[in-house]
């Protein structure tokens, strides 16, 4: 059965006017239930992750400051959320959710986390709405426990996966592939194993051509045991932060292509959501919902 990580703690109230659309998590779960793409049985509630797995990926100095709410104000501003105990707990639950999704995917082809994809978190700091790097924590968990020996991160959020690239720069067992807007944040990019920087306003056909040129080649070259897919929907032309020009349909085809390619090669996929900042919340939720619809369509 399809397993989807979701927890009441994913809801996190933000001050009025905050630019992060936190409500999308709730709305997405409701939409998927309402339309019948999933039922309540598909959802599971992850536990907070054991701190030892946080410390496997993040520095103890950073984690201590984070959990004691003692991060310097400058670093808090860089992350972009007001810090509370609940926010830290939320990040722990999301990180465990991504690990659980990997384990479910390895058993049963695909599993998705309704949150996560916090790819801007580094070893010793967070930024861009990211506190803990869930993909990195999950990758280290799977490798240390000898559950897999090769991981491919496919990061299609419009922003480069700078934290993930930096964390695995010297780790050949995690291949980082990022397709992102060349002119988007972060302005100074890290070096992924494969970076494809795309021009402003690139729309569906050329985007899908680049993806279809590269993804199968990378899979054949890397032969991963699992794909981590970061399915950010800030690639939409309606996005306020992203500079690409995908239509909703193009974004949906992107998701279908990733799932279908993984299925063709017999590789399990764990999905985390990443960003989405369109003006209209319906554009965000609909595009994220398409990721779930495509997962069900391709694998079920
Ligand atoms: Zn993003």
């Amino acid at each position: 059965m399809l397993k989807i990580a979701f927890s009441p703690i994913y809801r996190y109230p933000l001050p009025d006017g905050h630019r992060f659309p936190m409500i999308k998590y709730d709305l997405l779960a409701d939409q998927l239930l309402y339309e019948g793409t999933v039922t309540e049985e598909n959802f599971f509630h992850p536990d907070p992750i054991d701190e030892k797995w946080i410390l496997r990926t993040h520095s103890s100095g950073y984690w201590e400051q984070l959990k004691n709410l003692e991060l310097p104000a400058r670093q808090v501003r860089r992350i972009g959320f007001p810090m509370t105990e609940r926010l830290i707990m939320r990040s722990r639950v999301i990180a465990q959710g991504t690990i659980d999704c990997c384990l479910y995917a390895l058993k049963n082809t695909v599993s998705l986390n309704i949150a996560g994809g916090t790819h801007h978190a580094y070893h010793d700091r967070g930024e861009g709405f990211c506190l803990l790097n869930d993909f990195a924590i999950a990758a280290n968990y799977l490798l240390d426990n000898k559950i897999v020996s090769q991981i491919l991160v496919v990061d299609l959020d419009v922003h480069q996966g700078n934290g993930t690239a930096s964390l695995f720069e010297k780790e050949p067992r995690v291949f980082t592939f990022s397709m992102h807007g060349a002119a988007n944040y972060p302005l100074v990019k890290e070096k992924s194993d494969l970076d494809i920087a795309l021009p402003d306003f690139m729309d569906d056909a050329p985007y899908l051509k680049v993806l279809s040129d590269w993804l199968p080649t990378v899979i054949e070259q890397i032969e991963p045991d699992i794909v981590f897919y970061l399915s950010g929907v800030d690639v939409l032309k309606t996005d306020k932060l992203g500079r690409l020009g995908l239509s909703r349909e193009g974004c949906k085809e992107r998701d279908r292509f990733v799932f279908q390619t993984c299925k063709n090669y017999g590789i399990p996929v764990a999905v985390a959501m990443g960003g989405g900042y369109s003006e209209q919340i319906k554009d965000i939720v609909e595009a994220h919902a398409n990721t779930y619809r495509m997962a069900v369509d391709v694998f079920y």
Side-chain angles (χ1 to χ4, degrees):
M1 180 196 283
L2 177 65
K3 289 290 192 180
I4 298 171
F6 185 65
S7 160
I9 202 169
Y10 285 17
R11 302 179 186 113
Y12 181 71
L14 287 169
D16 281 351
H18 194 286
R19 67 178 176 162
F20 193 91
M22 196 59 82
I23 195 174
K24 74 177 183 177
Y25 303 110
D26 258 352
L27 292 176
L28 175 59
D30 285 348
Q31 174 63 32
L32 294 172
L33 284 170
Y34 171 76
E35 70 189 28
T37 298
V38 304
T39 64
E40 290 283 0
E41 288 183 317
N42 293 112
F43 293 110
F44 69 94
H45 291 186
D47 292 324
I49 192 168
D50 189 319
E51 286 184 60
K52 86 172 182 187
W53 291 110
I54 297 173
L55 293 168
R56 167 69 176 82
T57 295
H58 295 283
S59 72
S60 56
Y62 173 54
W63 173 237
E64 290 297 318
Q65 285 186 323
L66 199 58
K67 79 169 172 182
N68 296 323
L69 304 179
E70 288 171 349
L71 269 189
R74 192 172 48 82
Q75 286 201 42
V76 174
R77 273 199 303 278
R78 234 177 140 163
I79 290 172
F81 289 139
M83 289 292 150
T84 61
E85 274 178 31
R86 184 182 160 95
L87 183 72
I88 312 302
M89 184 53 77
R90 176 180 184 275
S91 300
R92 287 180 61 179
V93 173
I94 289 171
Q96 183 63 48
T98 295
I99 291 178
D100 293 343
C101 284
C102 292
L103 300 175
Y104 280 127
L106 285 161
K107 268 194 258 174
N108 192 24
T109 68
V110 67
S111 179
L112 307 92
N113 195 351
I114 297 204
T118 40
H119 57 169
H120 301 310
Y122 282 73
H123 177 63
D124 58 358
R125 67 185 160 87
E127 61 179 57
F129 307 133
C130 302
L131 287 75
L132 303 176
N133 192 313
D134 63 327
F135 271 0
I137 291 171
N140 287 326
Y141 178 92
L142 296 184
L143 291 170
D144 286 6
N145 286 301
K146 304 196 184 328
I147 296 167
V148 303
S149 53
Q150 184 67 56
I151 294 164
L152 169 61
V153 177
V154 177
D155 187 335
L156 301 186
D157 191 276
V158 81
H159 303 103
Q160 193 212 24
N162 55 350
T164 316
S166 158
L167 279 158
F168 293 119
E169 206 177 350
K170 297 190 176 73
E171 174 51 89
R173 296 175 298 171
V174 181
F175 189 97
T176 52
F177 168 30
S178 180
M179 263 174 68
H180 48 263
N184 269 116
Y185 164 92
L187 286 181
V188 179
K189 313 241 182 331
E190 301 292 339
K191 199 171 162 3
S192 310
D193 292 299
L194 175 61
D195 281 303
I196 300 184
L198 306 170
D200 283 359
F201 316 121
M202 182 183 250
D203 59 14
D204 298 349
Y207 180 94
L208 293 168
K209 169 87 171 65
V210 173
L211 181 61
S212 62
D213 281 347
W214 281 102
L215 184 59
T217 310
V218 171
I219 287 178
E220 283 176 20
Q221 192 188 325
I222 302 307
E223 298 184 348
D225 302 310
I226 186 168
V227 163
F228 289 7
Y229 176 34
L230 211 167
S231 61
V233 302
D234 41 16
V235 291
L236 291 177
K237 65 170 172 271
T238 48
D239 199 86
K240 290 181 290 182
L241 304 184
R243 300 179 65 94
L244 293 184
L246 267 66
S247 70
R248 206 189 269 173
E249 200 54 37
C251 189
K252 181 177 171 185
E253 282 312 307
R254 173 199 75 167
D255 294 338
R256 184 199 297 280
F257 183 79
V258 172
F259 291 135
Q260 190 61 54
T261 304
C262 291
K263 187 181 181 189
N264 293 349
Y265 285 96
I267 300 164
V269 196
V271 185
M273 273 179 41
Y277 313 94
S278 291
E279 187 75 47
Q280 302 287 329
I281 191 77
K282 69 172 168 29
D283 289 326
I284 302 173
V285 172
E286 186 63 14
H288 281 308
N290 278 335
T291 308
Y292 288 75
R293 295 169 187 144
M294 291 303 95
V296 169
D297 213 43
V298 168
F299 287 104
Y300 286 87

